[in-house]
Amino acid sequence: MQQTEYMQAEYRQRREKLMAKIGGGTAIFRSSPVAVMHNDVEYAFRQDSDFFYLTGFNEPEAVAVLAPHHEEHKFVLFVQPKDPEKEIWNGYRAGVEGAKEYYGADEAYSITELDEHLPKYLEKADRIYYHFGRDRAFNDTIIKHWQHFMRIYPKRGIGPIAIEDPGPILHAMRMIKSPAELELIRKAIAISVEAHNHAREFAKPGRYEYEIQAEIEHIFRLRGGDGPAYPSIVASGPNACILHYIQNNRQLQEGDLLLIDAGCSYGYYNGDITRTFAVSGKMSGEQKAIYEIVLEAQKQALACIQPGNPWNQIHETAVSVIVEGLMELGLLAGNKEEIIKEEKYKPFYMHRTGHWLGLDVHDAGVYQHGEQAQLLQPGQVTTVEPGIYIGPYTKPVEGQPEISDRWRGIGVRIEDDVLVTPEGHEVLTAGVPK
Ligand code: GLY
Ligand code: MN
Ligand code: MN
């Protein structure tokens, strides 16, 4: 329940940095609720990433308030109060006192007292920072308090006149990982790497996809991870052409490729790795031809990762290599620039080449600022994951060559997690061979 001093200082720094940017405003963050799976059986609790980033507080039904303009209480937590009866069923709670003692809140209250105490932190604010989320009832609570201050605004001439989403400010912070965050990402990745390497040893014709999934996820927990960062994809043969294949119930056949996209979550930070390999150790000519294109696309895309380079160059480079490769194989035909501009490659490559990685697998942070692409900066962590998928349904766009059956059922993706460094980049997942 208690945070180390190191992490307490880390969360405090994050709050202070955010508060320096919101100045006269008050920011309100809602924890995840308790989520019900069916009847009164609950899902494993997963804290809201923004909330966790700022507090490290890992309980449901809580609200964090940052009020930099308040004289005494700049960080306030509303939490579930201590309740031995409830704690016997659902686990220990820090409670109101614990929120102050262990989580550094300047003041804390029971969540049941939100309506009573929240106005103190809004009355001098020039705006409210709040992300309208799925919890309608809580959205209404925020609107109710805001409307109250708007109603009395003519008498006071101060008060929160706007509600602004904190995302653009907070997510720009989350996009650049601190040393403490990188430690956790490296740990999540180390476990993911071990699991992938074990899976490659373990996979052979006759095994079922779920057996491999079980081996992978066994290692995730065995090493202290929270579990899979996302539903593990263990896709053999033609299943590799289904991007989010998670049934994982097919028996591996001689001659199959196996695509494994699996990552461990550790302390809420995530690994995200994909490897594709031949189950019986040797690829067919067609499989190898496709694999080599994806590998080259990834290699060239990785080379783009340097501070100052635009984010979209990674994707554009991968697309260019994939188009060129598919043209050489006769799977695309015509003018390369036109194929790219008109996205005629999309039946084979329909997703982006990467995403930010962190507390969320598809992490916070923008990719584009209007006309201007996001520039790469040290501290960002991105995946690089080109692929080619020629499934039973793959249909060339009009005017493009028919697909011969020998290509069908081949799906390849290679995904690494990459840290942007001052000098260039570091492939964090290099421990899994390609
Ligand atoms: N496994 C999710 C992704 O690669 O984005
Ligand atoms: Mn992935
Ligand atoms: Mn990914």
Side-chain angles (χ1 to χ4, degrees), residues 153 160 405:
Y153 189 85
D405 278 348

Side-chain angles (χ1 to χ4, degrees), residues 230 233 261-262 272-274 355 361 383 385 413 415:
Y230 49 89
I233 298 169
D261 185 349
D272 183 4
I273 305 178
T274 309
H355 51 81
V361 175
T383 67
E385 50 180 305
R413 176 165 67 257
E415 174 174 32

